[in-house]
Amino acid sequence: MPLTACAINCSLAASDSRESSTDGMIGVLRNAFAEHDVRVSDAIRIADHNVKPGVTSDEGEGDDWPKIRERILAADILVFGTPIWLGQVSSVAKRVLERMDAFLSETDGAGRMPSYGKVAVAAIVGNEDGAHWATSQLFQALNDTGWTIPAVAACYWVGEAMGSTDFKDLKQRPEKVSKTASMVASNAAHLAGLLKGAPYPG
């Protein structure tokens, strides 16, 4: 069966507020994944939804997380998109990670979390240094909650410190970003295919 990927965009702004550089980076990975017959969903802009604070999979009436969670777990690969703010992943990204904490208590009979056997990669943008710190935060939390992180799992771009140019405003995509996206997609698709055919034993 073909592999699928679910993309989430943890921009601080809702989709009707402004164009998102994070969406731009997710688009770079979407094109790279297409080369490996992996279909990446339209990105879920988390800020468009009411994702309540908490560490369970359902925080009650009005919580949009259960449906988002269902879409994320239905895919083989998670493309986790976040901007860098104050040198860190966004507060929206942290909210998503906190909600995934529920996976720790949702194991099956073999002790496997719902995310076991699924691969996660990152799409990160920002105008300051911090991409490596952001990936370390993100991948540690994702690994703690059961996701598998492949080699070369992050595609990122950061502009000049204290600069004003956003990724979406670049006239030409840096060659290094394109090459990294190709490697991220290739490694993630390969690993996801292996895990789909031979799940973790637990």
Side-chain angles (χ1 to χ4, degrees), residues 24-172:
M25 185 60 79
I26 290 171
V28 172
L29 282 172
R30 179 180 290 109
N31 292 337
F33 271 115
E35 297 295 318
H36 301 276
D37 298 321
V38 178
R39 182 177 57 81
V40 181
S41 69
D42 290 338
I44 303 169
R45 183 80 74 97
I46 300 298
D48 289 345
H49 304 275
N50 181 25
V51 176
K52 292 188 172 184
V55 291
T56 72
S57 286
D58 190 341
E59 289 291 333
E61 185 177 355
D63 185 16
D64 290 336
W65 176 248
K67 289 184 178 180
I68 295 172
R69 175 187 181 279
E70 184 177 348
R71 290 176 62 183
I72 288 172
L73 291 176
D76 303 297
I77 300 168
L78 171 64
V79 179
F80 198 119
T82 180
I84 297 170
W85 286 110
L86 300 175
Q88 307 175 59
V89 298
S90 74
S91 58
V92 175
K94 291 179 181 180
R95 171 78 48 98
V96 168
L97 295 171
E98 288 163 354
R99 295 303 300 270
M100 288 182 182
D101 185 75
F103 294 170
L104 295 169
S105 60
E106 295 174 351
T107 55
D108 64 12
R112 296 171 295 195
M113 288 179 262
S115 48
Y116 262 44
K118 298 181 184 295
V119 170
V121 299
I124 297 175
V125 293
N127 284 325
E128 300 174 25
D129 194 9
H132 285 178
W133 173 234
T135 56
S136 70
Q137 290 179 291
L138 190 56
F139 288 157
Q140 181 63 58
L142 288 170
N143 188 254
D144 282 349
T145 52
W147 300 89
T148 298
I149 312 301
V152 190
C155 191
Y156 64 84
W157 176 88
V158 290
E160 183 181 3
M162 300 184 183
S164 58
T165 301
D166 290 332
F167 181 71
K168 61 182 173 58
D169 298 325
L170 296 179
K171 291 182 172 58
Q172 184 173 354

